[in-house]
Amino acid sequence: MVIPVAEWAALHDLVHRYAARVDERDFAGVARLFGGDGVLALPNPPRDFGPVREHRGPEGVVAALSVLEEVPLTAHGITGVVFDPGDGPASARGRITCVAHHVSPRDGRFADAVWHLHYLDRYAKTGGEWRFKRREVHLDLIETREVRATRLGR
C-alpha cells in the first residue's frame, strides 16, 4: 500500500520542519509537531546508540532538546525519507535518514560532532494535521571534524 501524494507531502513537511526548528532553537515549535502525548526517544551516546531515554508530551520534548542550548550551532540535513501506511487510516510510519552537525568550541577552535542517524517514526493525523506520535533517534555513526570557520567565527 502506498501513501497518497498529498499525505506524503504533509509528512515530508513535518520531518523537515522538525529539523529546521531544532536548528533554529525553537524547541516549543518542535514540541507542537508532536501529539499531546507524543514521545521523543533518544540515545545516550557514546554508550547507547539506540533510544534509551523517553520524553513524553510537550514539556518532555522541550526538556530533552534544551540540552542543545549548550551547542552554539547545529545543522540537520535530511538525506532520505520513506513513509509507509500505519495500522489505520490516520496513522503512518517513517524511516528518515539524517546527518546532524553539532558545532561547539573546543581548544580555542570549533569542532563538529557529526551524527549519522536515522529516525523511526510513528505519525498520527489529528485535527487534519500529521503529528509525531513517536520519534526514535537511532545513531549509526559519530565522527568529529575540525571546523575552519563558521558564522560564529573562526
Side-chain angles (χ1 to χ4, degrees):
M1 191 176 220
V2 176
I3 300 274
V5 171
E7 302 298 333
W8 187 95
L11 291 165
H12 188 267
D13 184 66
L14 176 67
V15 301
H16 279 80
R17 285 188 185 279
Y18 175 97
R21 289 184 178 158
V22 168
D23 290 343
E24 294 164 355
R25 300 303 189 269
D26 180 7
F27 303 137
V30 174
R32 288 191 295 274
L33 300 175
F34 284 76
D37 62 346
V39 174
L40 176 61
L42 298 174
N44 187 26
R47 189 180 67 214
D48 300 304
F49 274 51
V52 294
R53 298 176 293 155
E54 291 190 354
H55 306 275
R56 187 174 302 277
E59 299 83 13
V61 171
V62 169
L65 294 175
S66 67
V67 300
L68 289 176
E69 291 174 352
E70 298 175 16
V71 180
L73 177 64
T74 59
H76 288 72
I78 305 297
T79 58
V81 295
V82 176
F83 301 114
D84 291 305
D87 299 330
S91 67
R93 294 174 289 134
R95 185 181 192 285
I96 313 305
T97 54
C98 176
V99 177
H101 297 268
H102 305 82
V103 179
S104 297
R106 187 166 88 190
D107 301 327
R109 303 187 127 199
F110 287 98
D112 182 8
V114 184
W115 290 12
H116 299 263
L117 60 95
H118 64 277
Y119 300 101
L120 295 182
D121 294 337
R122 299 278 179 183
Y123 314 102
K125 192 172 189 181
T126 55
E129 294 191 25
W130 287 103
R131 297 284 181 249
F132 292 103
K133 181 175 183 177
R134 180 178 180 87
R135 173 158 257 208
E136 295 180 355
V137 178
H138 295 260
L139 289 171
D140 299 311
L141 166 68
I142 299 172
E143 59 180 311
T144 303
R145 301 176 184 171
E146 183 177 317
V147 176
R148 281 191 350 194
T150 74
R151 63 181 159 90
L152 305 170
R154 293 187 182 265

